[in-house]
Structure formats: structure tokens, C-alpha cells
Amino acid sequence: MSASAIVGTEATPARTALRARAGGVPVGAILAACGLVAVGTIAVLHLDRLAFSLCVFKAVTGLPCMTCGTTRALARLARLDLTGALAMNPLAALGTLALLPWGAADLALLPRGRALSLELSPAAARVARIAAVVAVLANWAWLVAAGR
């Protein structure tokens, strides 16, 4: 017996939708603010120009970690050098840029007590998880090939 039959409510079919949900947490605005703080901190402190590497994984294995080049990518984004940012770490650059419209939408919805919410069907969620793993592995392979 399903949970909806026990409670006496009709189960809604699972589907994929992007909606402005009332009372939702503005995750996009929070992440965009964190991204802006990170980009600003890197730009002001010139953390991309350190004379040493902070990557323990690279020091031990000689290979770049999955996030190698992120600091340099964010520094290039701060200078509006999109090509340079993509060369340093494509996934970090594109992920940071994706936060801009999401954060702006959440900020626009915030006065009305709403936030963007992405609801995925089980099949779409499975595809999204697989795509995320493929994107991370492809980005890592690119970083290894580029010698980051």
C-alpha cells in the first residue's frame, strides 16, 4: 500500500520543473554571494600569484587534483578574462558563471518570499547525476592533459 493511500491524498506524478517556490531558501543567491566573495578575495590578495602550490594531492602524486586551477580561473574571471578562466579550469569557470543568473533570479524573488526550486523526476535526476560525474571526470582529464 502506498503512502498516499494511507494518508488519503492523491500522489502527484513526478516531473521536472523549475519554479519559484514560496518559502524556499535562496540557495542561488547564497552561492552567488560566496562566489563573489571568493573572486573578490582572490583578486584583492592576488592568491593566484603565490610562489608555491597549496595542493597536497599534486605534491604527493604529481597529478593535478580535480580542482587544480580554480584559484587561477577565478582570478581571471575577476579580470573578465573568460578565455583564460576556461583554460585554467573549465568546470570551475562555467560553474561560477552559472551562479550569476541563478543568484540574480533568487535576489529578484527574495522580496516576495520566494526562491527558485528545481524539481527533477527520478529519471531526470539520474541523468543529472551521471552528467555531473561525467563533467567532473572530463574536467579532471582535461586538467591532467593540460598539465595544470
Side-chain angles (χ1 to χ4, degrees):
M1 184 174 269
S2 70
S4 61
I6 294 171
V7 178
T9 61
E10 190 64 33
T12 58
R15 44 183 228 194
T16 301
L18 178 67
R19 43 186 95 183
R21 210 175 64 194
V25 176
V27 175
I30 293 167
L31 290 176
C34 291
L36 288 173
V37 168
V39 169
T41 302
I42 290 167
V44 169
L45 298 178
H46 304 290
L47 296 177
D48 60 322
R49 298 181 187 154
L50 294 176
F52 54 91
S53 174
L54 297 175
C55 185
V56 175
F57 184 85
K58 189 171 186 174
V60 171
T61 65
L63 296 171
C65 70
M66 291 186 190
T67 62
C68 273
T70 299
T71 302
R72 291 172 284 168
L74 295 179
R76 281 162 178 76
L77 282 178
R79 294 191 296 267
L80 302 178
D81 176 12
L82 181 58
T83 306
L86 290 170
M88 287 296 116
N89 189 317
L91 192 59
L94 293 174
T96 303
L97 291 174
L99 290 175
L100 295 176
W102 184 16
D106 270 356
L107 284 176
L109 293 168
L110 195 59
R112 291 181 270 170
R114 301 173 87 68
L116 281 183
S117 173
L118 178 63
E119 299 168 5
L120 297 175
S121 69
R126 189 174 323 107
V127 169
R129 283 191 299 273
I130 292 168
V133 169
V134 168
V136 168
L137 292 176
N139 187 65
W140 193 19
W142 190 90
L143 292 172
V144 170
R148 294 285 169 250

